[in-house]
Amino acid sequence: MDAFLKGGKINAPEKKSQPSDSKTKKSKALEPWVEKYRPKNVDEVAYQEEVVAVLRKAIEGLDLPNMLLYGPPGTGKTSTILAAAKGLFGDMYRSRILELNSSDERGISVVRDKVKTFSQLSAGGKRPDGKPCPPFKIVILDEADSMTNAAQSALRRTMEKESKTTRFCLICNYVSRIIEPIADILQRRLKEICAKEDVSCSDEALEALMYTSEGDMRKAITTLQSASRFKAGEEITKNDIYEISGVIPNDIIDGIIVICHSGSYEQLESTIKDVIAEGHAATQVILQLHRSLIDNDRLSDAQKSVIFEKLAIVDKRLMDGADEFLQIMDLCSLIMNQVCKNQ
Amino acid sequence: MSLWVDKYRPTALGKLDYHKEQAGHLKKLVQCGDFPHLLVYGPSGAGKKTRIMCILRELYGIGVEKTRIEHQTFVTPSKKKLEISTVASNYHIEVNPSDVGVQDRVVIQEVVKSMAQTNQLETSQQREFKVLVLTEVDRLTKDAQHALRRTMEKYMATCRLILCCNSTSKVIPAIRSRCFAVRVPAPSEDQICQVLQLVCKKEGLNLPSDLAKKIATQSNRNLRRAILMCEACRVQQYPFSSNQDVTLPDWELYLRETANMIIQQQSPKRLLEVRGRLYELLSHCIPSDVIMKGLLQELVSNCDGEMKREVTQIAAYYEHRLQLGQKAIYHIEAFVAKFMSVFKHFQEGMMQDMDDLF
Amino acid sequence: MATDQASSAKKGAYRSYLSREGPRALGSKEIPQGAENCLEGLTFVITGVLESMERSESQSLIERYGGKVTGSLSKRTSYVVVGRDAGESKMAKANQLGTKQLDEDGLLDLIRKLPGKTSKYEIEAAKQSQSKPSTAKFKSSPSLAKISQSKMSSAKPAAKKATDEGSSQSLMWVDKYKPQTLKQIIGQTGDKSNARKLMNWLQNWHRNISSGKKPAFNRFSDDGSGFKAALLSGPPGVGKTTTATLVCKEAGFSFVELNASDTRSKRKLKDEVSESLNNHTLVDFFGGQVTPSEGQRHCLVMDEVDGMAGNEDRGGVAELIQLIKNSKIPVICMCNDRNHQKIRSLANHCFDLRFQRPRVEQIKAAMMSVAFKEGLKISPPALQEVIVAANQDVRQIMHNLSMWTSTDRNLSYDQAKSDANKAKKDAHLGPFDVCRQVFAGGERMSVIDKTDLFFQDYSFGPLFVQENYPSCTPFAARGDMRMQMKLLSQAADSIAQGDLVDRQIRSTQNWGLLPTQAIFSTVLPGEAMKGSIGQMIQFPQWLGKNSTRNKNDRTLQELRTHMGLKNPADKHEINMDYLPLLRKALTQPLATRGAEGIGEIIQVMDEYSLTREDFDSLLEVATWPNSKNCMANVDSKVKAAFTRTYNKSVHLTPYATGSSVAKKKRGAGGGEELEEEEGGEVEEEEEEEEDITKDSMIKLKKKPAAKAAKATGKGKAGKSGSKGKLAKKK
């Protein structure tokens, strides 16, 4: 947790590029908190004990295998590997690391030119200050799952061939729901950031933050930062968090379900129209409908399965760019049908 | 002499007619100096662009209203020339990358790059960043959205993005999480009435509240449409009478007639006639989802009970495929044919073999 | 009253014909193996639907055994084969003539029972081959035209034959049996034939032209006198080129031929062709203005003029017309498609000769002689199959024959039929025919066959299917409207599905999905709507509508750009919300107040930076079939006055007028517009530089300090210029 105390230091290398002092000050203010509070060494990585233990061993032994890190977004994959690299190489870690993420050009040509030339360079076994350091470099490929197939296969050969001088670290998103205990740590962390940044935030709002971020640390911190700017000094409330993260207030969702029970198509139509007019995103609507229906005791399992099947279909259609109004109407009229059967 | 809707457009955050609380927050956001990327979303005619312009003005002062139109050319990696026109002031530039279709990625990369690589002069007096306004972000290809996400981080120091879209459903989560999302809900009917009254007062006209109410209802909570309709009423007849007809746009009437034709008769011949009308709508550039929604609304009002759900389901099914496909007419026609078939079944009381249709 | 009944009965019959179902029990009966040629000399008429086979099947069955099938009854008809729903008139006539009636089983029995005969053709052939060695000089009948005299003689002596065969083997049959004289051309032997007409025209050309005869635009004066050029048109393989060359030869003209392999652009034609045309005039001149002697006459043959297309041959047709106008020698043009857009303009200047396909009999005779020459045994019915399969294209028939017989010199009927069927598939069908076949319920086609229909033209075919499927009356519905709508919906569904596949194919270049698309967009709709097409096959509207849509889309885009400074709506919002009102606002004052309204309108237009062209296009896009024409009430004088007034005053637009390529920009700042106009010009140049020097700018970025210094140096100058532009100036 002393990451925060050292927080300012992380920016040190970046400062060089800024010509004047005044600018540094401003850019510091502009820096996303996510970057500001990124862990600096392996031990600071939150709630990844197993991984951390393995990595710590690797650093002691001055060796690192090729790695594939996967997990839900915002659980610290990038942070982990960056921290490990810093542990291995110390100050010279910048020259030893090639980091490419999906927004960089990562076609086959890049793999062939950039990655290959980088990996073919050999590296010395000593730091400038005489300490030993491993004689290899690390290529970090963030969001490797979005690489083109051609690039991935081009990478394969390079990985085998250059294993002497280069280690590869692939990071990809593996989306699944996050396990509970992490929430604890997340909350503690958020509180610390609040204290550090002098932001007042009610406990209720923190709860909401936990709920909306679903364990995604990055999302939680970003939301917190946005909220603090938006309110500029005032206390952040639950509704602010909901508003900023695009979560629909529960009474609207409940309203939809009540209307479904009424069995009136016309009412349903006008309600859905209003929801859309309020600017709420359809994906969010079905996400929250899902949450509220899954615990609904008035529906039998068979009914739920019918509804959730439709829900999945509608979600897919929305991903394909289908019209929001029509899709939600489709879903809700089915819910209405199922509910009314029950009565 | 411009149309009312442009004449009385508010230009400052303080002068906005509704969502005043939000305006206050936005003002604070601008003042605190630390300005994030914005994602402004909300339905059509809710006032997104108006708010964006107000924010820009808050940021840079009056100079931002001195805009010009620029044509820019880009060359794609495959050596294809793209042309796009932008609206720009000295402080901001507004681009609609979806104008160039599938090549929007190139536009985003080039525009952002060329803009981000120029610094503002005299940062002491001005903001040290410029603003890039991207409209219709939800129409961007996935490729372009991914390109955008990187550029958002990379050029944070010199430029800010304001993204504008109708719905965040079609914006990838990566962008959503990097932006400060501002939801602009459509004004309620009361709010629309107020605005209409205000506009009419400024024009020196007397607007009966019944008519205002009527217009507000017809406009579907779309303020732009409401004001335009109001002015259309003025052109048609003044002084207003409270039982005056609110003229709908021609395309909407045409769409309704088409739907009624489907209800009246179900035959292959009718299908061909409907096809002709659908072609007419499409060739007038009425978006296909608007057509689907319009048809559904009319058709459903002529069905009852179980049929309503049935028809809604069919419409949702075909509208989805329409988005995936290439030729919109095929899918709308398939929808109409399906409806005709189902409706005929229904009418002839053949509900028992309804199941083998689906 | 009686006639009324009759006509209504007739109508009823026709209606039942339309919804007549196909055979119900296809292939249910065993087709017997009869003796060879057992039906020889018998004539059949088939009426109604036979239950176990398609009409064409039964027909070919009869033909296979040497029988003949005719369409209508006559005294010579030996049997009438009667099926379900037989035609009433035929039955009546059959009763009247007392023709023997058979049902389906009767026909099969007949085949089973009748004894075989030796074909009379074979007897004849045997006779001929017997007589062959004895006859020293083989005389060919004039109808066996395609064989040249010289080749004839080569066929006779056995000793010579071997050597001849060696040399002729290397020639393709088409060249080997190429007509050598005008008389040998199939179907061009008569007095009124095109060849004869062309001959006359050519021979009289110089006389007609020098006498200054004007072309008579009269259908009946068909000697073409007065025209300087002739246009031969017709399907491939009917002998247009052959006719032209032979006519030239026989009329004593030498000729220059240009065909699709030569570039025929405007300039090329001008340089090369007109030169050769001028040559002649000189000779003519020195010839002392008498009719040129035989050797000096020449003409120009332009083959395949409809192939003058694309960039290469730009302006070719127009130039050709010019050439024809000034020509001093005859020009003969040839094309396949007389109704092609480009050819139509050419046809006005030409003596129009249209070639038809020769009749089957004409070809058959010639082909029989060729077959005989090549020592190929083929029965006339078999040959007929071959001819019909090749669509009466003489050239293709020769090729097909030559190919099939390269292994076996004996071609039986069955063989010919199956081979011909193969050839049929190779024949290219137009999209109209494809579409008709997709829905034609009559023929028994496998899925593969139907898929092949799709592959005839996979980009056009689906469009045709989509356009025409609702006009089909499906058999399966049996006149039930509810059922028909269901089928219709099924067809529409699968067409829509086909579109999804199409999208996949085009966006991912996954051409392997084409067969899938074939199933969805051709086979399934065809199957669902299998029935009779009530009307003509329509050309797909989609193409036209789509281009209208694109045009309107561009217009809207332009309007949005022009109005961009004033309002922030996107083009759909402009289209749906703004345009209805703008249209009213721009026309109402003209309609109600006439000329007085002009000023007001121009004000609005200036406010939104609209040009006069925008005004028109705006009205066009915003006009719907159900809306009344706003400009109808406007006096034409007012319209003219409006245009005048608009043009009189200067309108400053913040964008480039005309094409967007010419980048003319004007500063649109409030108040200082006039001064800025020149500044705007400068800016524009800078703008262009910016694009080019993008790379150098990236480098500049790396030394921001230096740049900043330079930029501030010039900072005052560029009030409106961004820093990037300034930095680049130095």
Side-chain angles (χ1 to χ4, degrees):
Chain A
M1 294 312 133
D2 37 3
F4 306 116
L5 306 174
K6 295 174 187 166
K9 259 188 186 172
I10 302 170
N11 296 322
E14 280 160 9
K15 274 181 192 163
K16 280 178 208 157
S17 60
Q18 306 291 349
S20 70
D21 262 335
S22 68
K23 265 200 172 169
T24 324
K25 229 179 198 170
K26 267 192 183 169
S27 75
K28 192 175 158 193
L30 296 182
E31 199 193 11
W33 292 355
V34 184
E35 293 299 327
K36 202 164 164 187
Y37 297 106
R38 209 183 266 287
K40 217 202 136 202
N41 61 49
V42 192
D43 300 318
E44 290 168 17
V45 177
Y47 193 72
Q48 299 292 349
E49 279 105 24
E50 242 175 280
V51 183
V52 168
V54 172
L55 281 178
R56 202 178 291 134
K57 279 243 171 72
I59 294 171
E60 279 163 19
L62 290 186
D63 196 11
L64 202 66
N66 282 342
M67 284 190 298
L68 172 70
L69 300 183
Y70 65 96
T75 46
K77 299 180 299 293
T78 317
S79 301
T80 311
I81 192 65
L82 282 177
K86 276 175 207 162
L88 279 171
F89 303 114
D91 287 342
M92 56 188 289
Y93 90 102
R94 275 183 187 275
S95 62
R96 289 288 180 91
I97 282 181
L98 178 70
E99 190 188 347
L100 296 169
N101 62 25
S102 69
S103 27
D104 293 310
E105 208 49 60
R106 281 199 312 186
I108 185 158
S109 60
V110 175
V111 172
R112 282 188 179 148
D113 301 340
K114 226 170 162 181
V115 176
K116 217 168 159 191
T117 28
F118 180 77
S119 55
Q120 278 168 346
L121 297 172
S122 58
K126 269 196 179 138
R127 295 190 192 180
D129 55 4
K131 277 192 216 158
C133 84
F136 54 75
K137 306 165 301 293
I138 299 179
V139 175
I140 299 173
L141 292 163
D142 208 344
E143 289 151 52
D145 41 356
S146 66
M147 276 171 84
T148 62
N149 277 341
Q152 287 189 23
S153 46
L155 196 61
R156 205 171 56 187
R157 183 60 45 191
T158 319
M159 283 172 76
E160 286 171 12
K161 251 180 157 175
E162 311 298 337
S163 60
K164 268 189 193 148
T165 53
T166 312
R167 297 288 181 271
F168 285 85
C169 182
L170 307 184
I171 301 175
C172 38
N173 284 331
Y174 174 81
V175 184
S176 70
R177 286 278 165 261
I178 194 83
I179 25 173
E180 248 347 273
I182 218 172
D184 249 8
I185 292 164
L186 184 58
Q187 194 160 6
R188 223 183 308 152
R189 187 121 212 190
L190 287 175
K191 272 189 185 149
E192 279 159 10
I193 293 178
C194 285
K196 187 84 190 135
E197 291 287 336
D198 201 13
V199 173
S200 62
C201 183
S202 66
D203 282 350
E204 215 184 13
L206 275 182
E207 279 300 313
L209 206 52
M210 302 300 306
Y211 174 73
T212 56
S213 64
E214 295 165 358
D216 182 337
M217 183 85 86
R218 175 172 40 203
K219 202 167 164 191
I221 298 179
T222 314
T223 315
L224 183 64
Q225 187 179 13
S226 304
S228 77
R229 282 168 178 165
F230 196 56
K231 298 293 278 189
E234 292 169 44
E235 188 180 47
I236 297 168
T237 63
K238 188 173 94 181
N239 283 344
D240 294 328
I241 300 291
Y242 280 158
E243 178 64 44
I244 283 161
S245 52
V247 173
I248 303 162
N250 276 330
D251 47 335
I252 292 186
I253 298 295
D254 293 343
I256 293 177
I257 294 177
V258 168
I259 292 291
C260 286
H261 279 281
S262 80
S264 153
Y265 184 91
E266 285 74 21
Q267 278 186 37
L268 180 68
E269 192 178 355
S270 70
T271 313
I272 301 295
K273 251 188 199 154
D274 278 349
V275 172
I276 301 281
E278 286 295 318
H280 295 299
T283 39
Q284 191 66 37
V285 172
I286 61 169
L287 188 72
Q288 289 185 251
L289 270 180
H290 173 254
R291 277 189 200 159
S292 101
L293 283 178
I294 205 158
D295 297 327
N296 193 329
D297 298 330
R298 293 171 68 182
L299 293 168
S300 70
D301 283 356
Q303 286 173 326
K304 278 183 191 172
S305 71
V306 173
I307 292 174
F308 290 148
E309 187 189 355
K310 186 59 152 191
L311 194 131
I313 292 171
V314 166
D315 191 26
K316 151 85 174 123
R317 287 185 187 160
L318 285 171
M319 293 289 272
D320 288 335
D323 184 77
E324 299 190 321
F325 172 73
L326 288 176
Q327 297 308 328
I328 296 193
M329 275 309 287
D330 186 10
L331 174 65
C332 291
S333 60
L334 183 109
I335 296 176
M336 190 165 88
N337 184 36
Q338 290 294 330
V339 168
C340 293
K341 243 188 219 169
N342 199 19
Q343 282 164 357
Chain B
M1 192 190 82
S2 45
L3 302 178
W4 296 352
V5 68
D6 297 320
K7 203 162 161 188
Y8 300 112
R9 191 185 295 283
T11 49
L13 281 173
K15 288 186 199 157
L16 291 174
D17 295 308
Y18 50 92
H19 304 330
K20 288 190 175 169
E21 196 187 339
Q22 185 191 45
H25 288 315
L26 286 173
K27 207 164 183 172
K28 267 184 209 155
L29 190 69
V30 170
Q31 281 162 354
C32 86
D34 173 15
F35 188 72
H37 298 305
L38 287 188
L39 175 66
V40 183
Y41 66 100
S44 179
K48 299 181 296 294
K49 294 264 181 57
T50 308
R51 276 164 184 74
I52 291 175
M53 281 315 286
C54 291
I55 292 170
L56 287 175
R57 178 150 163 184
E58 195 72 33
L59 275 171
Y60 299 108
I62 190 93
V64 87
E65 280 167 24
K66 225 166 95 179
T67 48
R68 59 185 179 270
I69 294 174
E70 285 174 355
H71 289 283
Q72 301 204 4
T73 4
F74 304 103
V75 181
T76 64
S78 52
K79 298 277 178 284
K80 200 180 153 218
K81 257 196 165 177
L82 299 175
E83 285 200 18
I84 194 165
S85 58
T86 59
V87 174
S89 74
N90 292 342
Y91 309 102
H92 86 287
I93 182 165
E94 187 187 323
V95 191
N96 184 351
S98 55
D99 283 354
V100 292
V102 287
Q103 297 286 358
D104 46 5
R105 189 178 64 94
V106 184
V107 172
I108 289 204
Q109 282 173 336
E110 295 299 318
V111 169
V112 176
K113 216 189 261 172
S114 67
M115 199 172 122
Q117 281 164 349
T118 57
N119 286 320
Q120 290 281 29
L121 290 170
E122 301 175 74
T123 43
S124 51
Q125 286 164 25
Q126 297 165 337
R127 307 274 169 177
E128 58 182 14
F129 51 83
K130 290 173 85 175
V131 171
L132 174 64
V133 180
L134 293 177
T135 53
E136 295 186 63
V137 180
D138 43 358
R139 283 178 205 260
L140 290 183
T141 58
K142 289 275 172 307
D143 255 8
Q145 297 197 21
H146 279 291
L148 193 59
R149 136 196 201 179
R150 179 62 183 161
T151 36
M152 283 167 94
E153 287 175 349
K154 212 165 166 182
Y155 300 110
M156 186 82 183
T158 48
C159 97
R160 293 289 183 280
L161 293 172
I162 297 182
L163 310 177
C164 178
C165 64
N166 284 341
S167 156
T168 54
S169 288
K170 293 174 197 172
V171 180
I172 58 169
I175 290 184
R176 263 185 277 166
S177 78
R178 280 165 175 78
C179 288
F180 180 70
V182 179
R183 182 168 61 93
V184 184
S188 67
E189 286 182 8
D190 291 339
Q191 282 165 334
I192 291 184
C193 287
Q194 278 171 21
V195 174
L196 289 180
Q197 294 288 4
L198 205 73
V199 167
C200 286
K201 214 167 89 192
K202 282 184 189 160
E203 278 286 314
L205 304 173
N206 180 25
L207 180 70
S209 57
D210 283 353
L211 184 61
K213 190 91 194 144
K214 212 178 198 175
I215 293 174
T217 321
Q218 291 278 17
S219 71
N220 271 335
R221 296 181 67 182
N222 181 336
L223 183 60
R224 181 203 340 268
R225 192 172 292 173
I227 300 180
L228 285 166
M229 276 174 161
C230 183
E231 192 174 352
C233 289
R234 159 82 176 82
V235 172
Q236 199 177 38
Q237 179 187 355
Y238 189 79
F240 294 122
S241 66
S242 51
N243 55 358
Q244 185 178 356
D245 273 346
V246 178
T247 40
L248 287 171
D250 290 329
W251 63 267
E252 212 164 332
L253 292 173
Y254 195 76
L255 187 58
R256 282 195 188 172
E257 279 169 32
T258 312
N260 285 330
M261 284 174 69
I262 300 173
I263 292 288
Q264 279 159 12
Q265 190 189 337
Q266 295 83 37
S267 70
K269 195 165 148 266
R270 186 46 66 92
L271 183 66
L272 280 174
E273 286 164 26
V274 169
R275 174 197 283 176
R277 296 178 74 97
L278 291 176
Y279 267 133
E280 195 66 37
L281 283 163
L282 284 172
S283 64
H284 273 85
C285 296
I286 303 296
S288 43
D289 52 327
V290 173
I291 298 179
M292 285 295 272
K293 270 189 275 188
L295 285 180
L296 176 70
Q297 199 167 356
E298 286 298 308
L299 294 181
V300 157
S301 63
N302 282 296
C303 305
D304 26 45
E306 184 65 354
M307 262 301 268
K308 283 187 200 290
R309 191 183 72 79
E310 209 85 68
V311 175
T312 313
Q313 195 186 332
I314 297 170
Y317 175 74
Y318 285 102
E319 202 273 337
H320 167 234
R321 299 180 25 128
L322 185 149
Q323 298 293 338
L324 294 179
Q326 219 163 14
K327 303 185 177 83
I329 183 80
Y330 284 21
H331 303 276
I332 304 181
E333 191 176 294
F335 167 62
V336 173
K338 185 91 188 175
F339 175 81
M340 283 182 168
S341 167
V342 172
F343 194 70
K344 198 129 190 105
H345 262 264
F346 181 75
Q347 264 188 335
E348 297 181 10
M350 304 290 282
M351 289 300 280
Q352 71 269 27
D353 52 14
M354 203 66 153
D355 289 335
D356 52 15
L357 271 173
F358 292 105
Chain C
M1 202 55 207
T3 51
D4 254 18
Q5 257 175 4
S7 73
S8 71
K10 225 177 198 174
K11 256 186 208 162
Y14 181 65
R15 209 174 293 138
S16 68
Y17 167 73
L18 272 186
S19 57
R20 189 163 80 180
E21 213 181 331
R24 284 186 191 137
L26 273 182
S28 62
K29 283 175 195 158
E30 193 192 342
I31 306 287
Q33 280 292 330
E36 259 329 281
N37 291 311
C38 58
L39 303 180
E40 170 105 36
L42 299 176
T43 313
F44 292 82
V45 168
I46 307 176
T47 175
V49 179
L50 304 185
E51 292 297 357
S52 70
M53 47 189 155
E54 302 269 358
R55 171 68 67 94
S56 57
E57 267 180 280
S58 50
Q59 188 168 350
S60 69
L61 179 72
I62 292 168
E63 279 175 0
R64 192 208 168 294
Y65 291 109
K68 210 166 132 193
V69 178
T70 56
S72 58
L73 273 163
S74 72
K75 267 183 214 155
R76 284 203 218 134
T77 312
S78 357
Y79 294 101
V80 181
V81 184
V82 184
R84 175 168 46 82
D85 301 340
E88 279 170 36
S89 61
K90 272 188 192 146
M91 293 307 292
K93 200 167 178 195
N95 288 334
Q96 193 189 331
L97 290 171
T99 322
K100 274 182 264 179
Q101 295 184 6
L102 286 175
D103 62 358
E104 206 180 341
D105 296 325
L107 173 67
L108 299 180
D109 280 348
L110 203 64
I111 293 171
R112 233 171 261 143
K113 281 178 200 155
L114 278 182
K117 296 178 202 161
T118 321
S119 162
K120 66 176 179 200
Y121 295 101
E122 275 176 32
I123 299 170
E124 228 166 84
K127 234 189 258 165
Q128 274 180 356
S129 59
Q130 273 167 11
S131 66
K132 194 167 136 192
S134 61
T135 13
K137 268 196 178 173
F138 182 74
K139 250 194 164 180
S140 81
S141 66
S143 66
L144 300 181
K146 270 231 168 177
I147 304 165
S148 71
Q149 293 295 333
S150 59
K151 293 286 181 215
M152 284 285 195
S153 56
S154 75
K156 293 164 286 163
K160 256 185 166 179
K161 203 175 176 181
T163 54
D164 263 350
E165 204 127 83
S167 67
S168 61
Q169 207 95 69
S170 60
L171 276 178
M172 287 192 298
W173 285 17
V174 179
D175 292 326
K176 201 160 149 192
Y177 299 106
K178 197 174 182 152
Q180 300 296 314
T181 67
L182 213 45
K183 287 219 174 88
Q184 289 171 353
I185 303 171
I186 301 173
Q188 300 294 345
T189 42
D191 255 358
K192 290 251 175 176
S193 70
N194 281 330
R196 184 59 55 197
K197 284 188 204 161
L198 186 67
M199 187 77 182
N200 287 338
W201 172 78
L202 200 59
Q203 275 167 339
N204 296 330
W205 195 85
H206 285 281
R207 197 161 355 109
N208 284 333
I209 299 302
S210 55
S211 67
K213 211 168 171 185
K214 286 276 171 281
F217 284 103
N218 188 347
R219 297 192 61 199
F220 302 106
S221 69
D222 53 357
D223 59 349
S225 55
F227 282 113
K228 282 186 168 180
L231 176 68
L232 316 186
S233 58
V238 295
K240 296 183 298 296
T241 314
T242 317
T243 310
T245 45
L246 285 180
V247 165
C248 287
K249 207 168 113 194
E250 293 201 358
F253 278 75
S254 60
F255 61 88
V256 181
E257 185 187 321
L258 289 176
N259 56 34
S261 59
D262 306 297
T263 313
R264 293 175 295 187
S265 66
K266 186 174 176 178
R267 187 192 291 164
K268 261 277 173 46
L269 277 180
K270 214 169 186 169
D271 290 356
E272 293 183 3
V273 181
S274 64
E275 201 171 287
S276 80
L277 297 190
N278 282 338
N279 270 351
H280 187 81
T281 56
L282 269 182
V283 172
D284 208 11
F285 181 72
F286 284 119
Q289 299 192 341
V290 284
T291 332
S293 62
E294 291 282 305
Q296 286 164 335
R297 303 207 293 183
H298 63 217
C299 73
L300 174 68
V301 175
M302 296 291 298
D303 207 347
E304 300 162 23
V305 273
D306 43 0
M308 290 167 92
N311 265 338
E312 294 284 288
D313 295 345
R314 182 150 293 169
V317 172
E319 181 62 20
L320 185 60
I321 293 172
Q322 278 309 309
L323 278 178
I324 289 172
K325 276 189 187 154
N326 301 323
S327 171
K328 298 262 163 37
I329 60 165
V331 180
I332 300 175
C333 306
M334 274 167 264
C335 69
N336 287 135
D337 183 4
R338 164 92 186 32
N339 288 321
H340 193 277
Q341 201 78 39
K342 283 185 205 153
I343 305 301
R344 263 186 236 168
S345 57
L346 178 65
N348 291 335
H349 301 271
C350 296
F351 173 35
D352 195 359
L353 292 170
R354 297 181 196 188
F355 281 66
Q356 311 295 339
R357 294 186 197 281
R359 277 176 297 119
V360 177
E361 288 75 20
Q362 287 175 320
I363 304 175
K364 194 153 99 184
M367 287 305 114
M368 282 306 282
S369 83
V370 170
F372 177 71
K373 290 288 351 136
E374 289 290 332
L376 165 70
K377 274 194 198 164
I378 182 166
S379 67
L383 188 57
Q384 186 150 350
E385 285 292 335
V386 174
I387 293 169
V388 173
N391 216 353
Q392 280 133 292
D393 179 340
V394 179
R395 188 161 29 198
Q396 202 182 354
I397 297 165
M398 302 271 272
H399 280 310
N400 287 349
L401 278 179
S402 135
M403 188 185 73
W404 294 327
T405 54
S406 57
T407 48
D408 189 3
R409 296 253 146 182
N410 205 341
L411 201 60
S412 74
Y413 179 83
D414 288 341
Q415 239 176 316
K417 174 101 183 169
S418 72
D419 282 348
N421 268 336
K422 272 184 215 149
K424 214 182 230 162
K425 270 179 208 165
D426 296 340
H428 190 76
L429 288 171
F432 288 94
D433 300 330
V434 168
C435 189
R436 198 166 275 284
Q437 284 210 20
V438 166
F439 295 115
E443 230 155 320
R444 192 205 294 183
M445 291 174 88
S446 68
V447 172
I448 302 293
D449 290 343
K450 291 199 166 183
T451 318
D452 279 344
L453 282 178
F454 167 79
F455 280 107
Q456 289 284 348
D457 188 341
Y458 55 76
S459 53
F460 249 179
L463 289 176
F464 270 89
V465 171
Q466 194 266 345
E467 182 66 37
N468 290 294
Y469 77 95
S471 26
C472 257
T473 320
F475 292 144
R478 300 202 182 86
D480 178 8
M481 191 48 112
R482 197 163 54 81
M483 189 63 191
Q484 189 172 345
M485 288 315 296
K486 190 174 162 183
L487 288 168
L488 198 66
S489 152
Q490 276 173 8
D493 270 0
S494 76
I495 287 173
Q497 183 79 41
D499 178 52
L500 296 189
V501 181
D502 189 37
R503 167 80 178 269
Q504 274 301 311
I505 292 174
R506 310 236 171 218
S507 61
T508 60
Q509 298 295 308
N510 189 353
W511 295 96
L513 287 174
L514 268 185
T516 318
Q517 195 197 351
I519 296 289
F520 280 124
S521 53
T522 308
V523 180
L524 286 179
E527 204 54 45
M529 300 302 289
K530 191 166 167 180
S532 58
I533 292 197
Q535 54 183 74
M536 291 241 313
I537 300 283
Q538 300 289 323
F539 189 78
Q541 296 174 51
W542 189 82
L543 297 163
K545 298 290 179 189
N546 193 41
S547 71
T548 321
R549 205 197 78 83
N550 288 341
K551 195 195 85 198
N552 284 340
D553 194 58
R554 275 196 302 276
T555 314
L556 284 175
Q557 178 76 43
E558 205 172 299
L559 286 177
R560 190 192 78 90
T561 315
H562 289 183
M563 292 160 71
L565 289 186
K566 263 292 162 186
N567 82 53
D570 69 35
K571 63 183 172 207
H572 295 297
E573 292 162 350
I574 286 189
N575 185 22
M576 294 193 293
D577 298 341
Y578 271 78
L579 287 195
L581 176 60
L582 260 183
R583 175 161 158 273
K584 246 182 223 161
L586 288 177
T587 49
Q588 192 105 338
L590 285 187
T592 52
R593 277 181 288 156
E596 285 168 32
I598 293 176
E600 193 180 316
I601 287 176
I602 291 184
Q603 256 186 346
V604 175
M605 284 171 66
D606 279 351
E607 190 63 40
Y608 281 101
S609 329
L610 295 174
T611 63
R612 182 69 179 80
E613 289 84 53
D614 290 337
F615 178 83
D616 290 336
S617 53
L618 189 149
L619 290 190
E620 198 189 317
V621 174
T623 303
W624 287 81
N626 62 345
S627 56
K628 44 183 195 293
N629 187 356
C630 290
M631 290 300 271
N633 299 336
V634 180
D635 196 15
S636 63
K637 268 184 202 158
V638 178
K639 276 185 212 167
F642 166 58
T643 313
R644 258 200 318 279
T645 326
Y646 182 85
N647 289 339
K648 223 185 279 169
S649 54
V650 181
H651 302 275
L652 291 167
T653 50
Y655 50 85
T657 44
S659 75
S660 57
V661 186
K663 296 183 171 182
K664 241 187 171 174
K665 268 183 224 92
R666 286 165 182 172
E672 42 180 356
E673 282 149 334
L674 283 173
E675 285 99 344
E676 266 198 18
E677 220 179 305
E678 259 182 68
E681 299 288 335
V682 181
E683 232 179 77
E684 161 209 335
E685 281 161 28
E686 290 167 3
E687 207 67 42
E688 261 156 12
E689 262 178 33
E690 191 172 299
D691 291 333
I692 304 159
T693 55
K694 213 147 248 165
D695 283 350
S696 66
M697 277 176 66
I698 294 168
K699 279 172 203 151
L700 277 172
K701 165 76 176 154
K702 285 176 184 159
K703 28 181 185 175
K707 182 169 124 189
K710 266 167 198 151
T712 36
K714 295 199 173 185
K716 296 262 154 53
K719 250 187 184 165
S720 63
S722 78
K723 196 176 163 191
K725 284 177 199 152
L726 293 167
K728 193 163 24 75
K729 258 187 192 169
K730 48 105 207 195

